[in-house]
Every structure is written in C-alpha cells, then in structure tokens.
Amino acid sequence: MTRATRKLVERYSTLLAFSIALEVSAYPKPGNTHRLSEYRDKPYLAFLLNSIALKDVFEKTIRDSIAKGVSLGRAVYRAARATVVYSGFNTSLGQILLLSPLAISIGRCVGRSTPSYECFVGNYKAVVEETTVEDSVWFYKAVRLVKPSYIRRGDVDGGFVDVWDPDFADKLRARGHRLVDVLQYASRIDVVSDEVVSGLKRSRALLDVLEKYVTAFGDWNKAVVATFIELLSTEVDTLVSRKHGYAVALEVKREAEKVKERLFDPSFEERVSELDRSLKSRMINPGSLADLLTSTIALFLLKNGVGPVFTYSF
C-alpha cells in the first residue's frame, strides 16, 4: 500500500468515526442523547468512546476491502465487539450497520483509484447485495453480543431465524438466508435495515437538506438539529413504534412538524428544547432516525470535509 493510499485510508476512517461523535454532540436533538442530556443506558461519553474505538475498526475494514475483500457481517461484528470492549455500552449498532458497508465501499473505490463521494455511494448497494449466509451468521453474532432490548425473542416469522435461537447458525446455513435477505425482511419494521438495503436512500436525500441548512444558517449545530427535525417530521421512527406503538411514533412525527414550522423563527431553539424535554420525560428515544442522521453526516464529511463543522454559535 502506497503512502498516499495509507493517508486516504486514515482520512476516510477518521471521517466515519467523526460522524458518530458529531451526531451525538448536536443539541438539543429531541429525545436523543446529546452533549447536554443523556439516558442512563446511553451516556454521552459512551458514544464518544465508541467513536474513537470504531475509528480503528473502520480503518481495518477499509484496508481489508482494498487488499482482499471483507465480509460485511464480520465487519459489523468486529465493530460491535469494539464498542462492548471499550465502552461497555451498546450505543452504536444501527450506526455500525449503516457505516460498515460505506467503509467497504470506500475501500473498493480507493483500491480502484477512484476515491470520490460519487463512487462511495455508488458502490454501497452492491456491497450489501453481495452478502452471503456467513455474513448473516456474523451479523447474528453481533446482535447477540450487544443484546439490544428492542429485538425480542419470537419477533420473526415467515421462515426467518430468530436471532436468540441457540441453533441460529445452523438454521441460517440450512435456509440459505444471506444478510441482504435478513435485512430485507427486517426492513418491514426497521428503518435502519431499510436504509441499508436501499443504498442510503434517505441519507442521500437528507444530505441535500443538511448542506442547505449549513449554508442558510452558517451554524453547524443549528444545521444538524434542523436536519434532524426535518427527518423527524417526515419519517416515523421505527424504534419508537416498536417500543411505544405506532400511534406514539406518529404523534412524535406530528410534534416535529409543528417545531419545523418555527425553523426560521427566533423561538426555534426553545421549541426544540421543549420537544426534547417532553420526549425524554416519556422515555421516547427516536434512535433509529438518529442513526440515519449519523450516516447523513458521514456523507456530508466525505463530500465536504470538516471545515463547516467549526461554524456554530447556536
């Protein structure tokens, strides 16, 4: 690997890690952990520690993708294990699932000497579609390792394998379920899985929104918060729906729509803060959409660099 290639790998893995730290640091991001408010099981510092730990994992994934190819499922497992080992908190499974295919795509583009934003997003979907049954096995191992509370025993039907089944590996191999098949099935109730199999469809559209707000406000933090409000007002958070019911998730969407109406009003910050306090008082955490904000920020950084991050006063 040439010195120039090593520098690119270092840069892109750092930007992917930055996206996690920047997402969690935006405030006041309604219902989510941020630098001024957190959940006991999702502390702010755990996100920061995980972002640091994941930098090396993303770098290895990119390097492996350049050199010999890499299993997406194994990359997800390796990243999930790093968060458990270093912070002890499961804060980032959705972020890992979104960013790992991007790391592999980056490796392919760098290896072909075509490192560009267009190449990175253009190869993303192919990375997911080329997954195997062994990728599913590694992904199941990752889920079992971090033990997310929102994935319960018996959540599956239609012949798909329960992640908590002790014979999950043998059953996955017997049924031939590739990781893309598993994610397609999960996409019915999980917006993160749907985002992965769609090739970051929402994140790519939301990138335009983030770029627009960065230009309009000249304020990174406000632009990120406004982008999250835009997302929260247009999508139903599937994590909220699974934990609290669809009616509550729809209510959150409608509340965000009202806040969005004040986007250019001097009261916007207070309205966002009120929504943040209201959601947290009810333990409503729209974490799935926050994961999509992370992948949107990652795309922004890969396209624009970190310069705009240092313009904020909100």
Side-chain angles (χ1 to χ4, degrees):
M1 187 178 293
T2 67
R3 183 169 181 269
T5 299
R6 287 196 297 270
K7 289 179 69 174
L8 286 176
V9 172
E10 172 79 14
R11 171 179 171 77
Y12 294 136
S13 59
T14 300
L15 293 178
L16 293 181
F18 279 175
S19 69
I20 296 172
L22 288 171
E23 183 279 321
V24 73
S25 295
Y27 70 94
K29 206 165 68 276
N32 296 134
T33 289
H34 53 74
R35 70 176 82 176
L36 300 182
S37 178
E38 63 186 19
Y39 291 100
R40 183 172 295 180
D41 65 335
K42 295 272 190 294
Y44 174 67
L45 288 179
F47 282 90
L48 295 187
L49 293 176
N50 285 342
S51 71
I52 294 168
L54 287 170
K55 188 268 177 187
D56 286 345
V57 179
F58 291 140
E59 181 171 345
K60 178 169 176 50
T61 298
I62 295 172
R63 285 176 176 271
D64 287 350
S65 181
I66 294 172
K68 58 187 177 183
V70 59
S71 157
L72 174 56
R74 189 163 190 170
V76 170
Y77 175 81
R78 193 162 51 204
R81 185 176 183 277
T83 65
V84 171
V85 169
Y86 288 103
S87 82
F89 285 91
N90 164 31
T91 63
S92 302
L93 182 59
Q95 296 169 325
I96 289 167
L97 183 56
L98 287 160
L99 297 180
S100 294
L102 191 54
I104 295 174
S105 180
I106 288 169
R108 292 184 178 185
C109 294
V110 171
R112 297 168 185 164
S113 299
T114 55
S116 67
Y117 167 79
E118 290 74 20
C119 185
F120 302 155
V121 298
N123 281 275
Y124 186 99
K125 197 168 183 180
V127 169
V128 178
E129 291 176 345
E130 293 167 10
T131 53
T132 67
V133 175
E134 291 308 307
D135 287 303
S136 295
V137 173
W138 281 109
F139 176 67
Y140 271 52
K141 288 180 179 179
V143 174
R144 290 166 67 93
L145 180 68
V146 301
K147 299 180 176 64
S149 61
Y150 54 87
I151 300 180
R152 296 179 293 272
R153 185 177 293 277
D155 274 353
V156 298
D157 54 27
F160 279 80
V161 181
D162 191 326
V163 72
W164 306 118
D165 189 321
D167 299 320
F168 72 93
D170 290 339
K171 290 182 178 179
L172 282 169
R173 293 178 180 123
R175 298 175 193 183
H177 290 157
R178 303 165 300 158
L179 182 53
V180 65
D181 302 321
V182 172
L183 295 177
Q184 284 276 16
Y185 175 78
S187 68
R188 303 169 307 114
I189 58 170
D190 177 39
V191 71
V192 172
S193 296
D194 189 64
E195 185 71 355
V196 173
V197 297
S198 75
L200 298 178
K201 177 178 67 176
R202 296 172 186 81
S203 303
R204 286 184 281 114
L206 204 61
L207 170 61
D208 295 335
V209 176
L210 178 55
E211 290 179 324
K212 176 184 72 175
Y213 286 145
V214 167
T215 300
F217 298 128
D219 183 317
W220 170 258
N221 188 71
K222 185 174 182 179
V224 174
V225 172
T227 301
F228 185 65
I229 290 295
E230 180 102 17
L231 180 60
L232 204 59
S233 69
T234 55
E235 296 279 346
V236 170
D237 189 283
T238 51
L239 179 61
V240 174
S241 182
R242 293 169 76 174
K243 284 190 171 183
H244 301 275
Y246 182 77
V248 173
L250 191 59
E251 179 189 348
V252 172
K253 178 177 178 292
R254 289 169 178 162
E255 290 175 357
E257 290 171 358
K258 294 177 182 177
V259 174
K260 183 186 172 185
E261 293 173 359
R262 302 297 184 93
L263 186 59
F264 294 96
D265 190 282
S267 66
F268 176 67
E269 182 178 359
E270 180 52 35
R271 293 298 299 274
V272 174
S273 296
E274 288 175 1
L275 180 57
D276 184 33
R277 291 190 292 269
S278 172
L279 295 182
K280 286 200 171 78
S281 70
R282 293 176 281 168
M283 300 297 290
I284 297 174
N285 173 18
S288 292
L289 295 184
D291 291 338
L292 267 59
L293 183 62
T294 302
S295 51
T296 300
I297 292 172
L299 295 183
F300 182 96
L301 296 176
L302 291 169
K303 184 179 179 183
N304 300 287
V306 299
V309 170
F310 298 101
T311 57
Y312 68 90
S313 58
F314 184 43

